[in-house]
Amino acid sequence: MEKKDKIILGLGCEYGVGEGGLNGNELIIGSTGAGKTKSISEPRILYSYEQSLVIPITKRELFDQYAPLLEKRGYEVWDLNLAQPAISPMGYDPCRAVHSDLDVMNLARNIAGDSDSRSLVGEMDPYWSESTTSCLAAILGLTRFETKYNQKEFRFADFLNNYKSLKVTYKNGVFTSSLDKAFDFMAFDDENAQAPRLWDTIAGLSSRTASCIVSMVNNSVDKFATLEVEAIFKNPIQIDIRELGRKKIALFITTSPVNASLKKLATILYSDIFKELFEEAQANGGTLTNRVHIIADDFACGSRIPRFDEYISVFRAAGISVSILLQSKSQLTTLYNPYAAHTIADNCDTIVFMGSLDIETCREISMRTGYSLEEILNMPIGKEIVVRRGGAPVITERYTIFEDEIYKKEVIERG
């Protein structure tokens, strides 16, 4: 009998992928220890047979448990270890997702932190973040030009080399740098090139303003300019994100919950995954050859993913779906402005509430389900509420994967 992908959201809440015309996006809300991984994420892996998967993990045991199972089902298993880059079997290079000047700007924003995310941490004036982005985009663009000119592939390691070689001086209030001649050559070769124009805006500033921008660039890039992190960029075996939409692949991403440098790299990776898969779908007539489901635990490492509210609106047609795992609804509002957070939540046809003490979260679940705020706040541990568009809310118990026969036979016994 043919085995098909299945979604398990709770005891008695089992559905086929795409069943009922729903978009497949899920908003999973539960406090720490509520069982989001064991009750939602692991059953999703356990009952996947055809769709590609992006699976974040912080404990290597999950890889050891599920990689053999997925390989047996015909998956290519990719192992990207961002927590320990030096021993990662595969690498990731953000420059592989750069195909145009627009992509250069997108990567620069991801490195700098876009203006919306910076405003959330107290930097209200967008001028500084935009100037930092322009400076980064200029160096990225120059690096892309130089590698193409030398008939080489554009790599993030090359960008880091240009960044490390940058020497800045201020003579009589005039900004000069060791890259000025390279930008002049690029402008001579292509008068319409974007990078020299961006660099000119920095070069024309006062020494005080320019030095502040260079300092912010240093702060953004220094997180990646370490031997440990560079091992990911220089790994000879690099992941090709678009392949996820062409055949059965399970991409395991090991992340560190405490290392800020690697956390930012993981955020850039997730941003590239959403962007590259959508563009692959567009190039393939509007939809992917193979469906892709992305598990975004702690909502992709707890950092804002630029334009995610735009991407999620078009996921269904492209054959992409995502499980967004949060501790509370307010966590989503903190990462995104209220309007973007509202858009993201509205594009999830499924909500699973596994318990929270956050008043605003509980109030919204109360309004959605008709249960009183007191009932929501006092919901027993182990209980959950499943809400799917077009159906009545269901109160059930969280799924116990340890009692699943396939889990016991194919994961525990094989382990």
XYZ file of all heavy atoms in Angstrom, residues 33-112:
635
model
N 8.579 23.392 27.240
C 8.214 22.139 27.880
C 6.821 21.648 27.544
O 6.382 20.615 28.065
N 6.120 22.374 26.670
C 4.753 21.976 26.316
C 4.730 20.759 25.392
O 3.684 20.138 25.205
C 4.014 23.145 25.658
N 5.875 20.431 24.780
C 5.928 19.259 23.914
C 5.813 19.560 22.440
O 5.405 18.695 21.656
N 6.181 20.768 22.042
C 6.050 21.146 20.631
C 6.896 20.252 19.732
O 6.458 19.868 18.648
C 6.455 22.618 20.443
C 5.565 23.608 21.168
C 5.893 25.042 20.815
C 7.243 25.498 21.312
N 7.329 25.551 22.790
N 8.094 19.912 20.165
C 8.969 19.071 19.338
C 8.481 17.630 19.299
O 8.289 17.047 18.220
C 10.419 19.122 19.858
O 10.904 20.475 19.790
C 11.317 18.236 19.014
N 8.260 17.050 20.461
C 7.874 15.636 20.532
C 6.473 15.376 19.983
O 6.219 14.326 19.383
C 7.946 15.148 21.985
C 9.347 14.841 22.477
C 9.920 13.633 21.746
C 11.341 13.323 22.189
N 11.932 12.236 21.367
N 5.562 16.331 20.152
C 4.169 16.092 19.777
C 3.809 16.603 18.384
O 2.828 16.150 17.798
C 3.236 16.747 20.806
O 3.470 16.250 22.098
N 4.589 17.552 17.862
C 4.264 18.144 16.559
C 5.367 17.892 15.532
O 5.130 17.321 14.460
C 4.012 19.662 16.687
C 2.886 19.945 17.688
C 3.697 20.252 15.320
C 1.521 19.489 17.270
N 6.601 18.319 15.865
C 7.687 18.238 14.882
C 8.069 16.798 14.559
O 8.200 16.421 13.386
C 8.911 18.997 15.393
O 8.628 20.364 15.585
N 8.266 15.974 15.587
C 8.701 14.593 15.333
C 7.654 13.762 14.590
O 8.016 13.019 13.670
C 9.130 13.922 16.635
C 10.469 14.446 17.155
C 11.067 13.546 18.220
O 11.073 12.308 18.032
O 11.529 14.094 19.239
N 6.367 13.853 14.929
C 5.386 13.129 14.110
C 5.388 13.571 12.650
O 5.129 12.760 11.756
C 4.056 13.461 14.793
C 4.422 13.710 16.216
C 5.754 14.409 16.145
N 5.694 14.845 12.429
C 5.753 15.336 11.036
C 6.873 14.623 10.281
O 6.723 14.243 9.116
C 5.988 16.851 11.022
C 5.855 17.490 9.635
C 4.422 17.409 9.161
N 4.228 17.924 7.835
C 3.406 18.935 7.543
N 2.734 19.534 8.502
N 3.246 19.320 6.309
N 8.013 14.441 10.935
C 9.129 13.723 10.315
C 8.771 12.246 10.136
O 8.996 11.652 9.083
C 10.402 13.856 11.173
C 10.764 15.333 11.383
C 11.566 13.124 10.522
C 11.838 15.547 12.442
N 8.206 11.675 11.187
C 7.897 10.245 11.200
C 6.950 9.853 10.076
O 7.077 8.767 9.496
C 7.290 9.867 12.553
C 7.020 8.384 12.809
C 8.330 7.606 12.851
C 6.239 8.208 14.114
N 6.014 10.749 9.742
C 5.020 10.421 8.717
C 5.257 11.179 7.413
O 4.317 11.504 6.692
C 3.613 10.684 9.258
C 3.161 9.580 10.204
C 3.368 9.684 11.565
C 2.575 8.409 9.712
C 2.992 8.670 12.436
C 2.192 7.387 10.563
C 2.406 7.524 11.926
O 2.026 6.509 12.771
N 6.509 11.451 7.103
C 6.870 12.045 5.810
C 7.460 10.966 4.913
O 8.374 10.244 5.327
C 7.871 13.185 5.992
O 7.257 14.314 6.565
N 6.937 10.888 3.691
C 7.389 9.877 2.731
C 7.825 10.499 1.401
O 8.633 9.916 0.684
C 6.285 8.857 2.478
C 5.924 8.041 3.693
C 4.914 8.448 4.552
C 6.610 6.870 4.002
C 4.588 7.713 5.684
C 6.285 6.114 5.125
C 5.272 6.544 5.961
O 4.954 5.813 7.077
N 7.266 11.660 1.062
C 7.549 12.258 -0.244
C 8.029 13.704 -0.168
O 8.919 14.098 -0.902
C 6.303 12.182 -1.138
C 5.875 10.757 -1.488
C 6.922 10.021 -2.307
O 7.681 10.675 -3.048
O 7.005 8.782 -2.199
N 7.420 14.505 0.684
C 7.762 15.929 0.731
C 9.158 16.140 1.299
O 9.615 15.391 2.162
C 6.746 16.686 1.576
C 6.712 16.265 3.035
C 5.627 16.955 3.824
O 5.118 17.990 3.417
N 5.248 16.384 4.961
N 9.852 17.143 0.797
C 11.139 17.516 1.373
C 10.909 18.199 2.711
O 9.853 18.794 2.953
C 11.895 18.454 0.435
O 12.401 17.765 -0.678
N 11.916 18.113 3.571
C 11.796 18.646 4.915
C 13.004 19.504 5.268
O 14.128 19.186 4.876
C 11.700 17.514 5.943
C 10.473 16.594 5.889
C 10.701 15.396 6.796
C 9.216 17.341 6.293
N 12.756 20.576 6.004
C 13.818 21.351 6.637
C 13.591 21.210 8.133
O 12.554 21.610 8.660
C 13.787 22.825 6.217
C 14.857 23.622 6.968
C 13.999 22.955 4.710
N 14.579 20.630 8.821
C 14.398 20.222 10.212
C 15.469 20.849 11.101
O 16.645 20.457 11.034
C 14.480 18.681 10.341
C 13.525 18.000 9.350
C 14.200 18.240 11.773
C 13.840 16.531 9.134
N 15.118 21.822 11.934
C 16.103 22.378 12.856
C 16.227 21.498 14.087
O 15.237 20.979 14.608
C 15.496 23.739 13.227
C 14.021 23.509 13.139
C 13.807 22.481 12.058
N 17.441 21.308 14.570
C 17.664 20.523 15.779
C 18.714 21.209 16.639
O 19.592 21.907 16.132
C 18.109 19.069 15.472
C 19.386 19.065 14.611
C 17.004 18.284 14.788
C 19.950 17.666 14.356
N 18.601 21.031 17.935
C 19.644 21.492 18.853
C 20.340 20.305 19.503
O 21.421 20.465 20.066
C 19.052 22.405 19.946
O 17.987 21.723 20.615
C 18.525 23.697 19.344
N 19.704 19.141 19.429
C 20.294 17.916 19.968
C 20.525 16.932 18.837
O 19.611 16.627 18.068
C 19.371 17.305 21.028
C 19.147 18.208 22.233
C 18.190 17.567 23.219
C 17.953 18.470 24.423
N 16.988 17.872 25.380
N 21.728 16.420 18.750
C 22.106 15.544 17.646
C 21.375 14.202 17.693
O 21.346 13.474 16.699
C 23.613 15.304 17.673
C 24.433 16.553 17.382
C 24.271 17.041 15.976
N 24.759 16.066 15.012
C 24.649 16.198 13.697
N 24.029 17.249 13.191
N 25.123 15.286 12.897
N 20.760 13.874 18.816
C 20.041 12.604 18.917
C 18.931 12.503 17.871
O 18.665 11.421 17.346
C 19.439 12.437 20.321
C 20.447 12.172 21.413
C 21.038 13.447 21.992
O 20.845 14.528 21.391
O 21.714 13.361 23.034
N 18.299 13.631 17.570
C 17.217 13.608 16.581
C 17.736 13.233 15.198
O 17.072 12.513 14.448
C 16.506 14.963 16.527
C 15.521 15.260 17.667
C 14.934 16.648 17.495
C 14.415 14.217 17.705
N 18.906 13.725 14.861
C 19.508 13.336 13.577
C 19.808 11.841 13.576
O 19.505 11.135 12.608
C 20.787 14.129 13.312
C 21.489 13.729 12.046
C 21.114 14.281 10.831
C 22.518 12.787 12.059
C 21.753 13.895 9.649
C 23.152 12.402 10.896
C 22.766 12.963 9.682
N 20.417 11.365 14.649
C 20.767 9.946 14.731
C 19.527 9.054 14.663
O 19.579 7.953 14.112
C 21.526 9.662 16.034
C 22.869 10.381 16.093
O 23.419 10.686 15.018
O 23.344 10.653 17.208
N 18.412 9.529 15.191
C 17.185 8.744 15.196
C 16.513 8.709 13.824
O 16.075 7.649 13.370
C 16.191 9.316 16.216
C 16.505 8.977 17.661
C 15.443 9.510 18.596
O 14.921 10.608 18.412
N 15.099 8.722 19.610
N 16.418 9.877 13.180
C 15.556 9.974 11.998
C 16.295 9.913 10.661
O 15.678 9.608 9.633
C 14.712 11.258 12.066
C 13.630 11.163 13.106
C 13.769 11.783 14.338
C 12.475 10.430 12.865
C 12.777 11.688 15.302
C 11.477 10.329 13.818
C 11.631 10.959 15.037
O 10.654 10.847 15.992
N 17.580 10.219 10.629
C 18.311 10.161 9.356
C 18.260 8.770 8.730
O 17.971 8.643 7.523
C 19.759 10.619 9.555
N 18.509 7.684 9.481
C 18.426 6.344 8.869
C 17.027 6.023 8.347
O 16.885 5.407 7.292
C 18.822 5.400 10.014
C 19.605 6.247 10.961
C 18.974 7.595 10.892
N 15.993 6.439 9.082
C 14.615 6.189 8.660
C 14.321 6.881 7.331
O 13.757 6.278 6.405
C 13.653 6.692 9.734
C 12.161 6.705 9.368
C 11.639 5.288 9.194
C 11.361 7.439 10.427
N 14.721 8.140 7.207
C 14.448 8.900 5.992
C 15.270 8.377 4.816
O 14.790 8.329 3.678
C 14.712 10.386 6.231
C 13.744 11.054 7.225
C 14.221 12.455 7.582
C 12.333 11.112 6.643
N 16.508 7.966 5.072
C 17.323 7.377 4.009
C 16.679 6.087 3.490
O 16.675 5.827 2.284
C 18.738 7.105 4.516
C 19.582 8.360 4.675
C 20.970 8.056 5.191
O 21.142 6.999 5.843
O 21.881 8.877 4.950
N 16.128 5.303 4.393
C 15.445 4.070 4.006
C 14.249 4.367 3.100
O 13.905 3.572 2.221
C 14.981 3.324 5.264
C 14.275 2.004 4.994
C 13.801 1.365 6.293
C 13.001 0.091 6.008
N 12.478 -0.513 7.266
N 13.639 5.526 3.279
C 12.484 5.918 2.471
C 12.885 6.613 1.177
O 12.044 7.127 0.449
C 11.570 6.838 3.287
C 10.913 6.127 4.465
C 10.093 7.089 5.310
N 9.476 6.396 6.440
C 8.768 6.998 7.396
N 8.589 8.324 7.351
N 8.243 6.289 8.369
N 14.157 6.656 0.883
C 14.614 7.219 -0.383
C 15.001 8.684 -0.343
O 15.233 9.299 -1.390
N 15.114 9.236 0.841
C 15.521 10.637 0.971
C 17.033 10.786 0.856
O 17.790 9.913 1.289
C 15.103 11.190 2.335
C 13.667 11.639 2.442
C 12.658 10.721 2.701
C 13.318 12.980 2.317
C 11.336 11.122 2.820
C 12.005 13.396 2.439
C 11.017 12.466 2.690
O 9.709 12.870 2.812
N 17.448 11.908 0.296
C 18.817 12.380 0.489
C 18.820 13.113 1.816
O 18.000 14.014 2.035
C 19.249 13.340 -0.623
C 19.640 12.698 -1.918
C 20.228 13.714 -2.895
O 20.759 14.753 -2.426
O 20.145 13.476 -4.107
N 19.700 12.751 2.705
C 19.773 13.406 4.012
C 20.968 14.346 4.027
O 22.110 13.916 3.829
C 19.870 12.372 5.145
C 20.081 13.078 6.484
C 18.607 11.512 5.191
N 20.691 15.620 4.250
C 21.735 16.643 4.327
C 21.935 17.025 5.787
O 20.966 17.257 6.519
C 21.355 17.887 3.524
C 21.330 17.669 2.042
C 21.641 16.527 1.361
C 20.974 18.634 1.055
N 21.510 16.722 0.011
C 21.095 18.012 -0.207
C 20.560 19.955 1.098
C 20.816 18.674 -1.401
C 20.275 20.620 -0.078
C 20.411 19.983 -1.320
N 23.190 17.138 6.191
C 23.538 17.413 7.580
C 24.361 18.697 7.637
O 25.546 18.704 7.324
C 24.324 16.224 8.151
C 24.673 16.392 9.625
O 24.186 17.365 10.251
O 25.437 15.555 10.144
N 23.712 19.788 8.041
C 24.387 21.080 8.156
C 24.488 21.436 9.639
O 23.479 21.730 10.284
C 23.600 22.160 7.401
C 24.168 23.586 7.435
C 25.539 23.637 6.771
C 23.219 24.567 6.755
N 25.680 21.400 10.162
C 25.902 21.611 11.586
C 26.433 23.020 11.827
O 27.639 23.257 11.803
C 26.872 20.562 12.130
C 26.924 20.540 13.645
O 26.569 21.514 14.297
N 27.371 19.425 14.202
N 25.511 23.958 12.076
C 25.922 25.335 12.337
C 26.433 25.509 13.765
O 27.110 26.490 14.061
C 24.750 26.291 12.093
C 24.194 26.358 10.673
C 23.095 27.403 10.582
C 25.294 26.668 9.658
N 26.107 24.578 14.642
C 26.571 24.669 16.021
C 28.054 24.335 16.131
O 28.757 24.877 16.989
C 25.748 23.747 16.918
N 28.522 23.434 15.262
C 29.937 23.047 15.244
C 30.435 23.085 13.790
O 30.624 22.048 13.157
C 30.113 21.656 15.838
C 29.717 21.560 17.311
C 29.801 20.142 17.827
O 29.012 19.276 17.455
N 30.769 19.887 18.695
N 30.638 24.279 13.258
C 30.982 24.428 11.835
C 32.214 23.645 11.401
O 32.273 23.161 10.273
C 31.210 25.935 11.685
C 30.489 26.555 12.820
C 30.587 25.575 13.948
N 33.175 23.509 12.270
C 34.428 22.854 11.894
C 34.245 21.381 11.548
O 35.037 20.819 10.788
C 35.455 23.001 13.011
N 33.196 20.745 12.087
C 32.984 19.316 11.819
C 31.706 19.076 11.010
O 31.276 17.934 10.873
C 32.937 18.509 13.128
C 31.750 18.943 13.998
C 34.240 18.629 13.894
C 31.523 18.049 15.200
N 31.117 20.144 10.489
C 29.889 19.977 9.703
C 30.174 19.210 8.414
O 31.096 19.553 7.669
C 29.287 21.337 9.360
O 28.119 21.181 8.570
N 29.388 18.162 8.108
C 29.589 17.420 6.862
C 29.305 18.256 5.613
O 29.798 17.942 4.539
C 28.584 16.267 6.976
C 28.319 16.134 8.437
C 28.382 17.521 8.971
N 28.490 19.313 5.780
C 28.148 20.150 4.639
C 28.315 21.613 5.023
O 28.372 21.961 6.207
C 26.703 19.885 4.184
C 26.406 18.447 3.816
S 24.753 18.221 3.089
C 25.018 18.870 1.421
N 28.415 22.459 4.010
C 28.561 23.885 4.241
C 27.405 24.661 3.665
O 26.545 24.122 2.952
N 27.396 25.933 3.988
C 26.368 26.855 3.475
C 27.027 28.171 3.126
O 27.768 28.736 3.940
C 25.264 27.050 4.512
C 24.467 28.325 4.329
C 23.708 28.537 3.177
C 24.489 29.320 5.306
C 22.988 29.711 3.014
C 23.769 30.497 5.156
C 23.023 30.683 4.003
O 22.307 31.848 3.829
N 26.772 28.641 1.914
C 27.345 29.901 1.458
C 26.212 30.829 1.022
O 25.529 30.552 0.034
C 28.298 29.668 0.283
C 29.124 30.894 -0.045
O 28.588 32.012 0.055
O 30.308 30.745 -0.404
N 25.965 31.931 1.746
C 24.878 32.846 1.387
C 24.993 33.411 -0.023
O 23.990 33.781 -0.639
C 24.992 33.967 2.435
C 25.744 33.365 3.567
C 26.683 32.374 2.952
N 26.216 33.465 -0.557
C 26.404 34.046 -1.891
C 25.852 33.155 -3.001
O 25.679 33.611 -4.130
C 27.879 34.355 -2.130
S 28.490 35.733 -1.135
N 25.582 31.882 -2.700
C 24.983 31.002 -3.710
C 23.564 31.436 -4.060
O 23.031 31.064 -5.109
C 24.982 29.555 -3.212
C 26.358 28.914 -3.126
C 26.246 27.477 -2.654
N 25.649 26.625 -3.680
C 26.326 25.808 -4.470
N 27.644 25.743 -4.370
N 25.715 25.053 -5.344
N 22.947 32.213 -3.164
C 21.580 32.697 -3.408
C 21.570 34.077 -4.044
O 20.504 34.681 -4.190
C 20.797 32.721 -2.090
N 22.742 34.573 -4.426
C 22.843 35.901 -5.045
C 22.919 35.747 -6.559
O 23.878 35.191 -7.096
C 24.073 36.663 -4.517
C 24.254 37.978 -5.278
C 23.923 36.930 -3.023
N 21.886 36.243 -7.248
C 21.825 36.141 -8.710
C 21.666 37.501 -9.382
O 21.622 37.578 -10.611
C 20.655 35.237 -9.120
C 20.559 33.961 -8.330
N 21.503 32.958 -8.425
C 19.644 33.546 -7.419
C 21.164 31.967 -7.609
N 20.050 32.301 -6.986
N 21.543 38.582 -8.593
C 21.299 39.905 -9.156
C 21.692 40.968 -8.140
O 22.004 40.665 -6.978
C 19.809 40.065 -9.496
O 19.029 40.041 -8.301
N 21.646 42.229 -8.577
C 21.916 43.324 -7.649
C 20.876 43.381 -6.537
O 21.182 43.774 -5.409
C 21.931 44.663 -8.401
C 23.210 44.858 -9.216
O 24.192 44.126 -8.954
O 23.227 45.743 -10.086
N 19.636 43.000 -6.843
C 18.600 42.959 -5.807
C 18.953 41.939 -4.734
O 18.737 42.172 -3.541
C 17.236 42.623 -6.426
C 16.575 43.713 -7.265
C 15.286 43.185 -7.898
C 16.260 44.933 -6.401
N 19.504 40.813 -5.155
C 19.927 39.798 -4.196
C 21.102 40.287 -3.350
O 21.222 39.936 -2.178
C 20.316 38.505 -4.914
C 19.124 37.800 -5.529
O 17.993 38.048 -5.076
O 19.332 37.004 -6.469
N 21.987 41.081 -3.964
C 23.098 41.671 -3.218
C 22.544 42.538 -2.085
O 22.993 42.457 -0.934
C 24.005 42.504 -4.148
C 24.981 43.348 -3.322
C 24.780 41.607 -5.096
N 21.551 43.378 -2.402
C 20.948 44.232 -1.383
C 20.257 43.397 -0.311
O 20.323 43.714 0.883
C 19.946 45.196 -2.030
C 20.565 46.246 -2.935
S 21.732 47.349 -2.092
C 20.659 48.134 -0.876
N 19.603 42.317 -0.729
C 18.905 41.445 0.218
C 19.893 40.818 1.210
O 19.655 40.797 2.419
C 18.157 40.359 -0.540
C 17.351 39.455 0.370
O 16.403 39.883 1.011
N 17.729 38.184 0.426
N 21.021 40.329 0.697
C 22.032 39.731 1.561
C 22.636 40.784 2.488
O 22.860 40.527 3.679
C 23.125 39.065 0.730
C 24.302 38.451 1.504
C 23.821 37.462 2.557
C 25.279 37.772 0.536
N 22.886 41.970 1.955
C 23.446 43.045 2.777
C 22.505 43.390 3.929
O 22.948 43.597 5.067
C 23.710 44.279 1.918
N 21.207 43.442 3.646
C 20.227 43.724 4.707
C 20.219 42.613 5.753
O 20.068 42.871 6.943
C 18.826 43.893 4.113
C 18.614 45.199 3.398
C 17.148 45.489 3.120
N 16.979 46.752 2.427
C 16.920 46.878 1.111
N 16.987 45.791 0.355
N 16.782 48.056 0.554
N 20.338 41.379 5.291
C 20.348 40.267 6.236
C 21.564 40.309 7.146
O 21.482 39.974 8.330
C 20.314 38.939 5.489
C 18.947 38.633 4.913
O 17.945 39.219 5.322
N 18.900 37.722 3.964
N 22.706 40.712 6.597
C 23.927 40.799 7.405
C 23.813 41.947 8.404
O 24.152 41.811 9.582
C 25.162 40.993 6.513
C 25.373 39.780 5.606
C 26.411 41.242 7.360
C 26.440 39.978 4.550
N 23.325 43.090 7.911
C 23.240 44.283 8.758
C 22.103 44.186 9.759
O 22.186 44.727 10.862
C 23.076 45.527 7.891
